Amino acid sequence: VLELLMKEMGKLSSELQCGLKIPSCMGSYVKKSTLDIISSDAGFDLREVLHDLSKKGFMDDVDDHFRFCHDRIEQAAYDLMSSEERKERHVRVGLTLCTQIVSGNESDEMLFTAMNQINRGGAHLLLDANLRSTMASLNLRAGKRCTAMSDFVSAQKFYESGISFLNSDHWEDQYELSIELFEAMVDVACTLNDGEH
């Protein structure tokens, strides 16, 4: 089934294929407001493209979001990309969403979505030390918000990712941030460990 779907997707224009790939990185659905932000990086109107894809039976246009008609379609769209292309796409989407955080339009949902995307791509794709430091700080922020909501498993993932974004000389150049991330990581690990007993 996946091979057949991928073959059909391969016949689509590059814009429509890209329109499948981007939401496949987001999960089973993507909000239209998020698409509007990502469109700036994609170079075309993702809403229009996904509307066209909904006419072709790949997506459903539902109220404030688009969703894949079936999880196999989502998987086939994701499989159109190589592993490295997926990671790069996750980082690009996450960085584009970060523009909303920096411009002050931050919500918990936007922060979590942006950081999850960047973290799925991985710290190795960001070479700029300042950008890595910003991602470490944003992961710390996301982790603290999860901790405040008692979502310790998600908090732990954000703290781990934040640590992975620290620069190699972080104990010298990012001492305060390093201490905060490692202490938060230890605290949440202890909380999770206590919950297992």
Side-chain angles (χ1 to χ4, degrees):
V1 174
L2 280 177
E3 286 179 24
L4 181 62
L5 282 169
M6 288 174 68
K7 196 174 195 178
E8 286 301 310
M9 290 174 183
K11 296 176 186 175
L12 298 172
S13 71
S14 60
E15 195 171 88
L16 290 177
Q17 284 184 36
C18 188
L20 284 168
K21 291 175 183 179
I22 292 172
S24 76
C25 289
M26 306 292 291
S28 60
Y29 74 94
V30 60
K31 286 186 168 186
K32 291 178 181 176
S33 58
T34 303
L35 287 174
D36 294 339
I37 298 164
I38 299 170
S39 287
S40 65
D41 181 60
F44 54 86
D45 186 346
L46 276 166
R47 274 195 200 212
E48 258 183 50
V49 170
L50 294 190
H51 183 70
D52 290 346
L53 287 166
S54 68
K55 289 179 187 174
K56 294 185 180 296
F58 292 105
M59 307 286 292
D60 288 325
D61 186 346
V62 184
D63 299 325
D64 67 338
H65 65 277
F66 285 94
R67 69 172 178 226
F68 283 96
C69 293
H70 195 278
D71 61 339
R72 294 285 189 184
I73 294 172
E74 175 193 348
Q75 186 62 50
Y78 198 66
D79 288 347
L80 285 174
M81 298 177 282
S82 67
S83 174
E84 203 54 37
E85 184 184 353
R86 287 180 202 143
K87 290 176 184 176
E88 289 170 7
R89 177 82 59 194
H90 284 297
V91 168
R92 281 184 64 179
V93 166
L95 289 174
T96 302
L97 294 174
C98 274
T99 61
Q100 296 299 298
I101 296 168
V102 173
S103 67
N105 296 329
E106 178 185 342
S107 66
D108 285 350
E109 182 182 13
M110 184 63 68
L111 176 64
F112 299 151
T113 301
M115 296 320 301
N116 279 323
Q117 287 296 308
I118 293 168
N119 294 343
R120 285 184 73 184
H124 70 284
L125 290 178
L126 299 181
L127 303 178
D128 180 81
N130 290 331
L131 186 56
R132 290 175 63 91
S133 182
T134 299
M135 294 308 111
S137 295
L138 289 173
N139 269 297
L140 176 63
R141 188 184 314 173
K144 286 180 176 180
R145 292 202 181 151
C146 287
T147 300
M149 295 184 289
S150 299
D151 182 357
F152 302 112
V153 172
S154 295
Q156 184 176 36
K157 290 177 185 173
F158 284 122
Y159 296 142
E160 286 172 352
S161 293
I163 290 167
S164 76
F165 280 100
L166 291 171
N167 298 313
S168 58
D169 57 355
H170 64 91
W171 288 114
E172 294 168 18
D173 293 344
Q174 300 169 294
Y175 184 78
E176 291 300 321
L177 178 58
S178 298
I179 289 291
E180 277 192 86
L181 277 165
F182 280 96
E183 282 182 350
M185 181 68 189
V186 168
D187 288 345
V188 78
C190 290
T191 300
L192 288 171
N193 192 35
D194 284 348
E196 291 177 2
H197 296 285

